[in-house]
Amino acid sequence: KKKHKMSYQNKKIKKWSNNDLLAWVRSIGLSESWQGMMVKAIEDNQCTGQDFASLENAKELGESFGITNPMLYKRVFRALNKLKQKQEDDAINNAAMANRS
């Protein structure tokens, strides 16, 4: 079984494992201490992409993970939304391409 380092990029957020989620958090350019806080929260709660995908807003992310710094949870939520949007756009574009052929 080969392990793809960037495997989370080929999956919908909802399908991410705990490791996928950790890999993503490490990829979004947080400072070392902020990344450490997020990684610890995700590991402690054994979160998956499903947990993240169901978050309604940044505050909920902060409360769910015990993160009190609004700048941190807002930044992570923005990155999550950006990726969600990209995945939705890609799915629309792929469907459009499939219809053309």
Side-chain angles (χ1 to χ4, degrees), residues 6 11 25 38 56 61 72 90:
M6 304 304 266
K11 294 184 201 169
V25 160
M38 282 306 302
E56 294 291 321
L61 188 150
L72 172 53
D90 287 351

Side-chain angles (χ1 to χ4, degrees), residues 1-24 27 83 87:
K1 221 164 83 175
K2 266 193 207 149
K3 273 216 161 141
H4 291 293
K5 215 173 164 184
M6 304 304 266
S7 61
Y8 71 91
Q9 292 184 328
N10 309 321
K11 294 184 201 169
K12 289 242 172 285
I13 294 166
K14 279 202 276 274
K15 303 260 187 243
W16 284 357
S17 66
N18 180 259
N19 281 336
D20 292 331
L21 189 54
L22 290 168
W24 174 75
S27 77
L83 183 65
Q87 287 189 350

Side-chain angles (χ1 to χ4, degrees), residues 13-64:
I13 294 166
K14 279 202 276 274
K15 303 260 187 243
W16 284 357
S17 66
N18 180 259
N19 281 336
D20 292 331
L21 189 54
L22 290 168
W24 174 75
V25 160
R26 291 184 173 113
S27 77
I28 58 175
L30 297 172
S31 71
E32 212 170 303
S33 63
W34 279 10
Q35 183 176 296
M37 275 185 244
M38 282 306 302
V39 165
K40 185 175 176 359
I42 291 165
E43 284 176 339
D44 289 353
N45 296 296
Q46 277 303 297
C47 295
T48 62
Q50 185 70 56
D51 302 313
F52 254 54
S54 65
L55 293 167
E56 294 291 321
N57 54 51
K59 201 167 168 32
E60 194 181 342
L61 188 150
E63 286 165 359
S64 303

Side-chain angles (χ1 to χ4, degrees), residues 58-101:
K59 201 167 168 32
E60 194 181 342
L61 188 150
E63 286 165 359
S64 303
F65 294 95
I67 290 176
T68 51
N69 183 329
M71 274 172 64
L72 172 53
Y73 62 68
K74 282 178 181 166
R75 186 174 297 177
V76 173
F77 194 74
R78 264 201 316 271
L80 181 68
N81 267 347
K82 208 160 131 187
L83 183 65
K84 262 191 198 164
Q85 192 59 58
K86 184 188 179 315
Q87 287 189 350
E88 282 163 24
D89 292 348
D90 287 351
I92 292 163
N93 292 337
N94 291 343
M97 294 296 275
N99 289 339
R100 266 187 224 131
S101 53

